[in-house]
Amino acid sequence: VMKFLSRSGVRLGYVEGGSGGNAILLVHGMRCNHTHMQPQFDHFSRTHRVVSVDLRGHGQSDKPADGYSNDDFNDDLVFLCNALGLKKPVGMGHSFGGSTLLHLAVREPDFLGGLVLFDSGVRTPESKRGELGPLRQMSPEDNRRFLADRLFGPDDPPSLRDKIIAEMFEVPPEVGRPMSETVLGFDSGTAAVRCKLPSLFL
């Protein structure tokens, strides 16, 4: 069941389940939504309290015209955790979600209890711009092909690939553009060195 809390006029969606153990905060990737973390939610909610979010601009959360820096996303996550009584949750994030959690771990080193990054690009801004910068000049169709080739393998069902790609392109351009700049400008390589939390990179 989707639930909502509002911070500064922006409605933020989340689902929660389970109890016990260290609380877990699940954060999806760029242009994705909380349902893309469903296998992790189903598994960990058997033994832990789990909250899985829709970041602003994604899923059922509001999509304001601005507010897509790492600090904005971090402020939303801190607000949700405090409002829901999550104390030092283990942050688990996929791709952009992992990078956002890594930024939070460095910004507020005592907030999270641990960190798990699923396929998050931990590298310098120069490396990211060389690899991902051309996306901004691609046509929508070329962009779709790039993501399909990059994010999916030969064993992934085509129906799942097509569903996820379609959902990714539901994110409005006014959300996607500033998020791209956030991704390209974040020095996650340096942040990983500075991070003092117990961490797992997958």
Side-chain angles (χ1 to χ4, degrees):
V1 176
M2 202 76 186
K3 301 178 182 179
F4 299 92
L5 289 170
S6 292
R7 185 180 81 82
S8 302
V10 177
R11 192 176 75 149
L12 303 169
Y14 67 95
V15 295
E16 61 179 332
S19 62
N22 289 52
I24 294 173
L25 175 67
L26 296 177
V27 184
H28 60 78
M30 182 177 175
R31 294 177 171 265
C32 300
N33 61 65
H34 76 279
T35 65
H36 297 182
M37 303 292 283
Q38 194 65 44
Q40 291 78 17
F41 182 92
D42 292 342
H43 177 79
F44 288 110
S45 62
R46 299 172 190 165
T47 52
H48 297 262
R49 185 184 179 194
V50 182
V51 171
S52 187
V53 303
D54 273 350
L55 293 171
R56 63 169 58 210
H58 298 78
Q60 297 185 50
S61 290
D62 283 349
K63 299 167 179 63
D66 53 19
Y68 296 103
S69 70
N70 273 321
D71 282 320
D72 292 316
F73 288 115
N74 287 176
D75 289 344
D76 287 345
L77 295 176
V78 169
F79 164 79
L80 284 171
C81 288
N82 287 338
L84 297 174
L86 295 185
K87 305 297 183 183
K88 295 184 78 70
V90 174
M92 297 185 179
H94 171 239
S95 192
F96 176 78
S99 296
T100 297
L101 288 168
L102 176 59
H103 185 276
L104 177 59
V106 174
R107 191 186 86 166
E108 301 189 37
D110 295 324
F111 188 79
L112 297 171
L115 190 62
V116 180
L117 307 181
F118 304 117
D119 199 24
S120 294
V122 176
R123 52 200 189 278
T124 65
E126 293 76 19
S127 173
K128 284 188 281 190
R129 287 186 184 278
E131 181 182 359
L132 302 175
L135 276 172
R136 291 177 293 178
Q137 280 75 49
M138 287 183 184
S139 68
E141 192 55 40
D142 286 342
N143 204 310
R144 286 173 183 265
R145 278 195 291 269
F146 177 90
L147 292 175
D149 292 341
R150 178 179 174 80
L151 302 181
F152 300 91
D155 295 329
D156 290 317
S159 59
L160 177 65
R161 177 199 63 207
D162 294 344
K163 173 180 179 293
I164 291 175
I165 292 292
E167 289 175 343
M168 293 178 77
F169 276 83
E170 290 174 1
V171 174
E174 59 269 25
V175 173
R177 281 191 293 268
M179 283 187 61
S180 295
E181 292 304 316
T182 296
V183 170
L184 295 175
F186 177 41
D187 188 350
S188 51
T190 297
V193 174
R194 294 176 58 197
C195 179
K196 303 303 180 185
L197 286 178
S199 303
L200 174 64
F201 181 88
L202 299 173

